[in-house]
Amino acid sequence: MNTNFIKNLILLAVSCLLVLTSMDQVQAQKISGRIFSVEDEEGLAFVTVAISGTSTGTISDIDGRFSLSIPAGYQGNITFQHVGFIRKEMTVAEIKNSPRVYLEKEVTELEELIFEAGENPANILMRNVIDNRKNHDPARFSQYSYRSYTKDVYHLDADSKISDSLARLVKEERLLNNKDSTSLKFLKIDDSFDTRHLYVSESVSETKFIEPGLKNETILATQISGLRGGLFAAFSGLYQPFGFYDDILDIFDKDYINPINPAGLSQYDFYIEDTTYFEMDTVFVVSYTPKKNKRFDALEGLLWVHAKDYALTNVTAKSSVANSKIDVSIQQRYDKIYGQWFPVQLNTDIIFKELKFYGRNLMLENRRYLSDINLETNFTQKDFSDIGITLNRIDHKEQKQIIDANRAVPLDSLELNTFIAGDSLYRNLRVAEGVAESVITLRLNLGKFDLRIDDLFGVNSHEKLRLGAGFETNNSLSEKFKIGGYAGYGFKDEKWKYGANVKYEFERRTDSYALFTYQNDIREVGTQRFFEGKISSIDDLIRSFQGSLFDRHETYKLSLNRRIAPFLYAQTSISTSKQQSTYDYQYNTTDYANTFSDINEVSLSLRYVQNEQYLDLYGKKVLFDYDFPVFNFKYSHGNSGWLGGDFDYNRFDMSLEYKKKHVLGKSNVLIRAAYVSGDVPYGHMITGLGNSTSKLSVPEYFQTMRIYEFLSDKQVGLFFNHNFGNFLLANRIMKPEFVLYHNAGYGTLSHPERHVGQEINFSSMEDGYFESGVGLKKLIRLNFADVGYIGFGFDAVLRHGAYAYSSTADNLFFKFNMKIEL
């Protein structure tokens, strides 16, 4: 190899770089600063900064910071322009001398725009944005990764114009002269709000994503005032959608109709407010507001639209919902990376309008900054698990180093004071943090063991009230191996129930584990659990309160679980069980007639849930997000040749649920089906899906069917409802949503004569079971902790068809419904 040639080549490259660098310095220079509003001294986002009289310019970021390249030696004017503010010009020298630029709000009365001919040009522009939104939606990108720094600040609005009566009275001279201790304490606390916030948290995380919707975020470090754990920072990146392109935008757990949806032009008014520049490209500033007399949860704000790509470069959006207890506003900024527009800053501001402390409103400021963005990763599906967010305990000193190295903006004096004050309150706040962790995980940490909260009590018609306790080892003892047990006592049947479990985890990424369980307990007839270790829906829980027919069983079971594909899980099990009915029943055939039985069974279960994601909270998995469809399947086989079993049978169970958000409401479809062949006792048959005795509406069940009214060995049920949303009236007391229901079922029974007992009375559904109804949700709304509403309504459901009662009044059922909203 010619070493001299290589050395000379390197020297030449370095020389070229030096020349190019010096030329760049000669040809251009940069000026930078930050832009503020005169009124509140808050940083102004998305201000146009341009060389006066040219198309060379830039746009300030969400915090108002800007950096503009200008020709060398240029000392002319720079123009600052923003919708709703007075245009301002400053010389380069003035900006260098004082990089803090202040803009004043423009007070004008907007006249109604009348287009004499042709279409509103903003509508033409927005139609192209809507048509091209799939090209720019980050959720549709094939892959990406990034690092983010997120900061949450909870504070009290120091500029609140309205103080409560107590605040006014305390500040009166007569109270101060009396030196009332309560008044002085109030003033001391009130003054402290001017020097620190209530709460500040910081976090640094790394996120990776590939199709089809596989997304993992690892929180590398957290720093929270007064706390040591990271739970309260784990979800701070989920306040707003990652991109502004979905038809329905989920902002702080509330759905809003996006102006950029196929029907957006019929729902929103758009106007071009300004024309600005991004580098040398034209960017239009478009305002949007909901059309008059349109009743839906809407947004209003500004969109910066790139003229060539029809992509969003900046977004501001504020909630426009009547009588809401919170005001939500978001900001998004995008940069062009690898030819794609990608979010780089996300801001969320939330004002709790009725949640006041000492006369001031509670406010949340959420700031998220993205860096190290890579749209050309080499990830494969093997690099991902079902853990959407991972939160691990690491050394406090190490966390601080990570935070300091990745902090996007310096902490101000109020934020620093908050951390200092929070450290002194750590012992008190740690209790609240522990309670929150226990509620989410249903586990109370007791060192190397956890108290299982879900084993503490239960309610059903057979036991009435059940009290007990359960314990399980946690990661402090072993990350791979878990052992636990429980015991409970039913006060009506006066019987103890107990059990134990042993779990060994092979691989956490694929959720591969072996689980052995022993139970001496009761099981409601007709129920089917698809997966061991999976929590049932809230509808299943409410329905279970009505259960009155139970089999006593002693069961040994071994299950193997694994995630075999994205969002697809498989579980196989083998079990042996001794069972006896707690009600009057006998299974009669020519070969067998008894009230107790031995059942040996093998099963295979499959579960598919679109975008199912869990929070890994120090080794405990908590489901926090999923999409539809949700599909469950289970095949069970009973065999009399194994360990002396009494029955030979095959059973197939399936459920499929799909929910869809529309511009005009939400639809929900659920299909349940089951098929049984062979010899099967009553408790393992299909006993219907009745819910008539409940006063609460449970949409996943038949509202007019008695709980054990039908018995089948082949059955299918269809449950459909559509919520049209609120479109009639809306005020603080009422915001009704209109709902339609229709449910149908069909079932057959091959050998009804085999099931004998005084406590079981059943029919079959060969003629089809039908019910239809209407409902009003949130007919009455009550205050909920000053942050939202608890809405109460009712459903009216009519039983009709072949199994309708002779009296119309007997076929009509009324149910209460309840919904909590912000």
Side-chain angles (χ1 to χ4, degrees):
M1 179 178 290
N2 189 339
T3 55
N4 287 329
F5 175 79
I6 297 297
K7 182 177 66 174
N8 293 335
L9 187 62
I10 294 174
L11 289 173
L12 179 61
V14 172
S15 300
C16 291
L17 287 173
L18 291 173
V19 171
L20 291 173
T21 302
S22 61
M23 290 178 62
D24 181 69
Q25 292 176 345
V26 170
Q27 293 177 352
Q29 58 178 320
K30 283 189 176 183
I31 55 171
S32 58
R34 191 176 179 188
I35 309 166
F36 298 87
S37 167
V38 171
E39 283 72 16
D40 54 19
E41 294 193 356
E42 293 288 335
L44 275 179
F46 313 141
V47 178
T48 302
V49 183
I51 299 174
S52 299
T54 74
S55 59
T56 301
T58 187
I59 296 175
S60 68
D61 67 13
I62 288 182
D63 300 311
R65 294 181 175 84
F66 70 91
S67 179
L68 176 66
S69 296
I70 59 176
Y74 179 77
Q75 296 297 323
N77 290 339
I78 303 297
T79 301
F80 299 87
Q81 188 170 339
H82 191 49
V83 176
F85 289 80
I86 298 174
R87 179 180 178 184
K88 185 173 186 175
E89 288 192 353
M90 297 177 66
T91 65
V92 171
E94 288 174 331
I95 296 172
K96 289 183 176 179
N97 183 55
S98 179
R100 292 173 67 91
V101 180
Y102 289 89
L103 299 185
E104 297 182 22
K105 284 188 176 180
E106 185 176 25
V107 181
T108 58
E109 292 186 3
L110 297 177
E111 297 181 358
E112 183 178 357
L113 296 179
I114 300 176
F115 296 93
E116 298 294 338
E119 186 179 4
N120 175 3
N123 286 355
I124 300 174
L125 177 66
M126 292 310 301
R127 186 174 292 110
N128 283 293
V129 173
I130 294 170
D131 291 342
N132 286 274
R133 61 187 180 144
K134 292 183 179 179
N135 298 327
H136 307 299
D137 184 0
R140 297 177 181 272
F141 291 177
S142 61
Q143 56 186 311
Y144 58 76
S145 67
Y146 61 83
R147 177 170 286 210
S148 60
Y149 165 79
T150 306
K151 180 171 66 177
D152 280 349
V153 177
Y154 282 89
H155 65 92
L156 300 180
D157 183 9
D159 300 321
S160 180
K161 298 180 180 179
I162 301 176
S163 299
D164 61 14
S165 58
L166 178 59
R168 292 196 301 271
L169 289 172
V170 166
K171 294 181 180 180
E172 289 183 0
E173 184 179 359
R174 63 182 179 85
L175 287 178
L176 294 178
N177 289 337
N178 292 336
K179 297 183 179 180
D180 176 77
S181 60
T182 303
S183 304
L184 293 176
K185 182 179 180 182
F186 178 93
L187 286 179
K188 184 178 180 180
I189 295 175
D190 186 64
D191 289 340
S192 72
F193 295 149
D194 295 325
T195 60
R196 63 178 174 86
H197 301 302
L198 288 176
Y199 166 95
V200 177
S201 73
E202 298 177 285
S203 65
V204 174
S205 64
E206 289 183 343
T207 301
K208 58 185 181 181
F209 170 89
I210 62 168
E211 294 179 326
L214 295 172
K215 188 174 184 179
N216 290 167
E217 178 181 4
T218 301
I219 298 179
L220 304 177
T222 61
Q223 181 174 246
I224 305 176
S225 58
L227 301 174
R228 293 294 182 267
L231 173 61
F232 293 109
F235 301 108
S236 59
L238 305 178
Y239 292 139
Q240 62 167 289
F242 192 72
F244 202 78
Y245 292 98
D246 288 337
D247 294 349
I248 311 294
L249 297 172
D250 183 352
I251 304 176
F252 199 60
D253 202 31
K254 187 175 181 66
D255 292 335
Y256 298 90
I257 303 296
N258 190 348
I260 305 176
N261 80 82
L265 295 178
S266 65
Q267 298 165 324
Y268 285 87
D269 288 322
F270 299 94
Y271 299 102
I272 296 177
E273 302 286 353
D274 196 5
T275 303
T276 182
Y277 308 98
F278 176 80
E279 297 176 349
M280 298 296 291
D281 295 332
T282 302
V283 176
F284 295 104
V285 184
V286 181
S287 66
Y288 63 93
T289 56
K291 289 182 178 292
K292 292 182 179 180
N293 302 319
K294 290 287 186 178
R295 194 176 299 281
F296 58 90
D297 290 340
L299 299 166
E300 58 185 11
L302 298 171
L303 305 172
W304 280 254
V305 179
H306 193 271
K308 291 183 179 179
D309 300 335
Y310 297 111
L312 299 178
T313 65
N314 301 289
V315 173
T316 67
K318 181 179 179 181
S319 59
S320 179
V321 181
N323 303 301
S324 174
K325 289 182 177 290
I326 63 171
D327 280 339
V328 179
S329 60
I330 67 172
Q331 297 170 322
Q332 298 185 349
R333 184 169 76 87
Y334 299 76
D335 275 350
K336 204 166 190 178
I337 300 170
Y338 297 105
Q340 294 279 4
W341 292 93
F342 197 83
V344 293
Q345 282 185 260
L346 303 169
N347 281 9
T348 306
D349 292 306
I350 302 169
I351 301 176
F352 300 88
K353 296 188 292 186
E354 297 187 11
L355 191 60
K356 293 180 181 292
F357 293 87
Y358 302 97
R360 302 185 183 195
N361 288 111
L362 177 65
M363 301 179 65
L364 165 62
E365 293 181 0
N366 171 262
R367 303 290 181 262
R368 196 174 198 202
Y369 304 84
L370 277 60
S371 61
D372 300 335
I373 298 168
N374 184 5
L375 304 185
E376 298 178 354
T377 67
N378 296 316
F379 297 137
T380 66
Q381 292 186 1
K382 293 182 179 180
D383 297 316
F384 291 80
S385 69
D386 58 1
I387 303 297
I389 301 175
T390 301
L391 186 61
N392 296 319
R393 297 189 192 274
I394 62 174
D395 179 72
H396 180 67
K397 183 178 179 180
E398 183 181 353
Q399 293 202 64
K400 188 177 185 307
Q401 291 174 346
I402 295 174
I403 293 288
D404 291 343
N406 290 275
R407 186 177 288 116
V409 291
L411 297 177
D412 60 29
S413 60
L414 272 69
E415 293 164 348
L416 289 170
N417 290 340
T418 306
F419 280 112
I420 295 172
D423 289 340
S424 65
L425 298 174
Y426 168 67
R427 290 184 178 180
N428 294 328
L429 294 176
R430 182 64 187 95
V431 175
E433 185 180 32
V435 170
E437 291 179 4
S438 299
V439 170
I440 290 177
T441 62
L442 296 179
R443 297 290 187 270
L444 177 61
N445 185 275
L446 300 175
K448 297 183 183 299
F449 290 83
D450 291 335
L451 173 68
R452 301 198 306 207
I453 297 176
D454 47 344
D455 287 327
L456 292 178
F457 68 92
V459 178
N460 57 66
S461 296
H462 179 74
E463 296 174 294
K464 290 299 183 183
L465 176 64
R466 171 171 169 167
L467 297 180
F471 296 88
E472 191 170 56
T473 61
N474 55 39
N475 280 12
S476 298
L477 188 64
S478 172
E479 294 185 359
K480 292 283 190 180
F481 185 78
K482 303 287 191 304
I483 183 170
Y486 73 92
Y489 182 78
F491 283 86
K492 181 181 179 183
D493 65 352
E494 299 180 338
K495 299 289 185 181
W496 280 96
K497 295 89 182 176
Y498 48 88
N501 62 276
V502 179
K503 180 179 180 181
Y504 183 80
E505 189 169 58
F506 299 103
E507 185 182 38
R508 190 167 183 79
R509 182 184 66 83
T510 57
D511 202 28
S512 300
Y513 62 82
L515 175 65
F516 173 78
T517 59
Y518 166 78
Q519 287 183 303
N520 195 315
D521 210 324
I522 57 174
R523 171 187 178 273
E524 187 184 358
V525 301
T527 58
Q528 179 68 288
R529 171 174 284 189
F530 286 98
F531 265 70
E532 289 293 326
K534 292 292 183 182
I535 299 174
S536 301
S537 68
I538 187 64
D539 286 339
D540 290 336
L541 180 63
I542 295 174
R543 157 59 183 74
S544 69
F545 295 158
Q546 306 168 59
S548 59
L549 296 182
F550 286 79
D551 291 329
R552 182 88 188 198
H553 69 97
E554 184 178 26
T555 301
Y556 298 84
K557 186 173 186 178
L558 177 65
S559 302
L560 298 175
N561 190 88
R562 183 178 176 84
R563 182 171 64 90
I564 58 177
F567 319 125
L568 179 62
Y569 297 81
Q571 187 175 97
T572 183
S573 64
I574 182 170
S575 65
T576 179
S577 178
K578 295 182 179 296
Q579 300 187 13
Q580 184 175 10
S581 59
T582 63
Y583 47 93
D584 179 45
Y585 172 73
Q586 182 171 309
Y587 183 77
N588 285 331
T589 67
T590 55
D591 299 323
Y592 182 85
N594 214 330
T595 60
F596 59 88
S597 56
D598 292 333
I599 296 180
N600 300 319
E601 184 179 272
V602 294
S603 66
L604 172 66
S605 298
L606 297 174
R607 171 181 170 84
Y608 178 87
V609 183
Q610 182 71 31
N611 295 330
E612 185 174 43
Q613 291 190 320
Y614 292 84
L615 166 67
D616 185 350
L617 184 61
Y618 315 128
K620 302 181 181 70
K621 291 179 63 173
V622 180
L623 178 65
F624 76 88
D625 193 23
Y626 66 94
D627 293 326
F628 293 91
V630 175
F631 173 77
N632 284 288
F633 169 83
K634 185 172 185 177
Y635 166 68
S636 306
H637 173 70
N639 194 298
S640 61
W642 303 337
L643 303 176
D646 294 323
F647 297 99
D648 292 284
Y649 62 86
N650 293 290
R651 174 165 177 163
F652 300 84
D653 290 89
M654 184 275 290
S655 72
L656 175 64
E657 185 173 13
Y658 185 76
K659 292 184 180 181
K660 176 68 174 177
K661 296 178 181 179
H662 308 280
V663 174
L664 293 177
K666 304 174 186 178
S667 296
N668 182 38
V669 178
L670 171 65
I671 300 173
R672 296 177 185 254
Y675 169 79
V676 180
S677 65
D679 295 327
V680 186
Y682 178 78
H684 288 259
M685 296 287 284
I686 310 160
T687 57
L689 299 164
N691 183 56
S692 66
T693 57
S694 173
K695 299 301 181 184
L696 284 176
S697 180
V698 185
E700 294 185 359
Y701 290 84
F702 290 105
Q703 306 302 300
T704 64
M705 182 188 293
R706 297 192 305 276
I707 187 169
Y708 305 121
E709 182 175 355
F710 294 94
L711 187 68
S712 306
D713 50 23
K714 304 176 188 64
Q715 182 175 292
V716 61
L718 171 66
F719 304 86
F720 170 81
N721 68 77
H722 181 82
N723 187 329
F724 288 90
N726 171 252
F727 59 89
L728 297 173
L729 59 95
N731 54 49
R732 294 179 63 86
I733 300 176
M734 305 176 68
K735 192 179 180 181
E737 296 176 352
F738 182 66
V739 187
L740 284 179
Y741 298 94
H742 182 71
N743 304 325
Y746 173 82
T748 62
L749 180 61
S750 301
H751 298 284
E753 72 281 355
R754 293 181 177 177
H755 308 284
V756 180
Q758 295 182 357
E759 296 182 58
I760 57 171
N761 297 294
F762 55 83
S763 303
S764 57
M765 288 194 294
E766 288 92 344
D767 296 325
Y769 188 93
F770 301 97
E771 63 180 26
S772 304
V774 296
L776 287 174
K777 293 183 179 292
K778 300 187 297 185
L779 185 61
I780 300 295
R781 299 199 298 176
L782 302 178
N783 179 51
F784 175 65
D786 288 329
V787 298
Y789 296 96
I790 299 180
F792 296 93
F794 70 90
D795 298 329
V797 186
L798 181 67
R799 176 171 174 157
H800 57 91
Y803 299 102
Y805 301 120
S806 57
S807 171
T808 302
D810 293 336
N811 290 311
L812 188 60
F813 289 76
F814 293 93
K815 307 277 184 175
F816 291 104
N817 59 55
M818 183 178 70
K819 184 177 182 180
I820 299 177
E821 66 169 358
L822 298 175

